Amino acid sequence: MHVDLEGADNRQAGAEVTIRDGAAIVGSASVPSGVRRIDIPWWPIAEGPRLLSVTAADAVDVAVNVSADRVPVLVFEPRPSWTSAFVRRALEDDPRLDVDSRVRRGPTIASAPDRRSLDRAALVVVGAPDALTSSDVALLNQYVRVRGGTLVLLPDRAPSGPGAALLAGTWREQLRSTPEAVGPLQASERLIGDPARQLDTVLGGSNQAPELLMTPTGTGRTLISGAMDAWRYRAQDDAAFDRFWRSIAADAGRHSASMTIELSAPVATPAERIHLVVRWRSMDPPATATVRAVARCGSDDVRPIRLWPTGEPGAFSGSLAAGAPGTCVIEAASDDGPSASAAVIVARQLHRGAVATLADVDRLVKSTGGNSVTAEEAGQLARSLTTAILPRPLPTTVRPMQSPWWMLPFAAALGGEWWLRRRNGLR
């Protein structure tokens, strides 16, 4: 678990951060001086949705879904490669992953991925992309652009051949005498790409010279690793090589599975409205898709959830109102297709954290034209009110001709006329 300490000062150095699942402490760590983010390992005590409370100077409740489902991963090596071999070993040693390996050992011994295996895989790892054929490139292109999968490319030389079309931009080779850090990896033989674009995510290198780059491709994403000989230094930094590639696979399982359910909030209070998006990913999307979703909340009956197309292919949105405190399991399935489930924990009272709450209040105040100040800036409050609260003109309707005071000039004019007529001898 990554814990960000916002608003903490050096006086909190050495404070204990604890993670509780109910009354049980499942993880803890001390905060070193000057550190704003710490990683805390924690151990699930049971499967299913769990409500964890993270406590330091403040308390925040977070919900996680502990699942025994394994993430399907496909590793394809068009020719044997040291880089892909050690990445494959790191993934195979993780019990959370279901790894299927395909290696092309010769022109007459072909074991290329087929459409069915690509449709199932949440992550596809390709070693030696320079050895890919045109048909391989077309199939992988459809996997990442149409299906929306996560594709990892592990070149061990400068890009060439049909496989170079899968790598964004131009990549040049650079050799160093000693290994240097490429994000969490170490490498001396590196590929450096063109400057990163606005939507790219640089995991290693810099924006002007990316070496470990995640780039959006169609509805999916492609990770290009320029750390060509990172496998040589896989034992350094407490096996950071293995941990990095396993984290990429776990992240792909959350974002690129055949069907996923995205929740606006995994934890809610009673009667709070929860919005969800169901995404169905397929190599060959049908012309019409039917996706059904239901919610099972505690001992209540099954509640159907109405889904609406979002305009994005294979994506449907819906919402439901949280019921009594407990657990709501949301299940989605398609006709003769994949299925997915997600859980929402409904708690009577939540600790959302003072920092997050104050940030929400600050955004609300500023969005309505107000101003927020800290305790140190309280002296500015009076000046802010003086300049902010000004007299506002109010429109009013005035009808002067309907005033009763008009009787006075009318009587004076009538009396004057009578006096002039009598003076001139008229009646």
Side-chain angles (χ1 to χ4, degrees):
M1 178 180 291
H2 303 293
V3 180
D4 291 323
L5 305 173
E6 299 182 3
D9 53 23
N10 290 334
R11 289 177 299 177
Q12 292 176 316
E16 191 77 9
V17 180
T18 58
I19 304 174
R20 297 178 182 271
D21 186 340
I25 297 179
V26 294
S28 63
S30 294
V31 182
S33 177
V35 173
R36 292 295 176 264
R37 164 173 281 197
I38 58 175
D39 294 339
I40 304 179
W42 68 279
W43 288 263
I45 59 178
E47 289 189 27
R50 312 299 302 178
L51 182 63
L52 305 181
S53 179
V54 184
T55 307
D58 195 5
V60 178
D61 290 339
V62 295
V64 296
N65 189 28
V66 181
S67 173
D69 295 338
R70 304 172 68 188
V71 178
V73 178
L74 176 63
V75 180
F76 176 47
E77 300 172 75
R79 64 168 170 79
S81 167
W82 285 112
T83 303
S84 56
F86 284 103
V87 170
R88 172 171 49 81
R89 292 182 185 179
L91 299 179
E92 288 175 341
D93 290 340
D94 192 330
R96 300 173 300 170
L97 309 177
D98 180 13
V99 181
D100 179 16
S101 177
R102 308 288 180 90
V103 181
R104 181 178 292 146
R105 304 187 183 278
T108 59
I109 306 177
S111 181
D114 52 18
R115 305 179 74 86
R116 184 174 181 179
S117 61
L118 290 174
D119 209 2
R120 175 179 175 269
L123 175 69
V124 174
V125 180
V126 177
D130 58 283
L132 292 172
T133 64
S134 299
S135 59
D136 295 335
V137 172
L139 203 57
L140 293 173
N141 221 349
Q142 185 175 2
Y143 166 77
V144 68
R145 291 183 179 276
V146 178
R147 185 203 172 279
T150 300
L151 175 65
V152 174
L153 299 175
L154 302 174
D156 54 7
R157 63 184 65 171
S160 61
L166 296 174
L167 282 79
T170 304
W171 294 77
R172 62 187 184 278
E173 192 171 355
Q174 186 180 85
L175 305 179
R176 297 292 180 89
S177 58
T178 57
E180 297 181 1
V182 181
L185 307 178
Q186 296 282 334
S188 58
E189 301 176 5
R190 307 184 300 177
L191 284 179
I192 300 177
D194 294 335
R197 298 170 297 177
Q198 187 174 4
L199 298 179
D200 293 341
T201 302
V202 179
L203 304 179
S206 65
N207 285 331
Q208 299 303 317
E211 302 174 50
L212 199 59
L213 183 69
M214 180 79 78
T215 179
T217 309
T219 59
R221 52 188 183 169
T222 302
L223 173 61
I224 305 169
S225 174
M228 295 187 293
D229 65 339
W231 58 273
R232 298 178 184 270
Y233 314 100
R234 60 189 182 278
Q236 296 186 7
D237 298 332
D238 193 22
F241 179 90
D242 293 353
R243 288 187 286 110
F244 171 73
W245 291 115
R246 291 169 182 171
S247 67
I248 293 295
D251 181 71
R254 291 189 297 268
H255 294 89
S256 302
S258 300
M259 179 172 285
T260 57
I261 301 176
E262 301 174 9
L263 301 174
S264 59
V267 58
T269 54
E272 184 176 347
R273 197 132 200 106
I274 303 166
H275 299 275
L276 60 100
V277 176
V278 180
R279 283 188 170 84
W280 179 17
R281 301 175 178 87
S282 175
M283 289 284 290
D284 300 295
T288 58
T290 302
V291 176
R292 299 179 179 86
V294 297
R296 306 176 187 273
C297 298
S299 59
D300 296 343
D301 295 334
V302 177
R303 298 161 52 188
I305 302 175
R306 187 182 296 274
L307 298 178
W308 300 93
T310 63
E312 177 186 344
F316 305 85
S317 64
S319 64
L320 75 153
T327 301
C328 284
V329 178
I330 301 172
E331 300 174 352
S334 60
D335 294 342
D336 299 327
S339 61
S341 64
V344 177
I345 295 179
V346 183
R348 192 177 303 278
Q349 184 178 4
L350 291 177
H351 297 96
R352 300 185 185 272
V355 173
T357 303
L358 291 176
D360 292 339
V361 173
D362 183 70
R363 284 192 295 269
L364 176 62
V365 169
K366 292 182 177 178
S367 66
T368 55
N371 187 21
S372 62
V373 296
T374 62
E376 292 78 8
E377 301 170 344
Q380 302 178 4
L381 183 60
R383 292 190 294 272
S384 300
L385 292 175
T386 303
T387 57
I389 302 176
L390 299 175
R392 297 178 58 186
L394 297 176
T396 57
T397 302
V398 179
R399 296 180 174 87
M401 302 307 295
Q402 297 181 3
S403 174
W405 291 102
W406 278 107
M407 294 297 293
L408 295 178
F410 176 74
L414 185 62
E417 181 189 13
W418 176 80
W419 179 78
L420 290 175
R421 288 176 64 86
R422 292 300 297 263
R423 183 180 179 181
N424 294 330
L426 301 174
R427 291 185 178 180

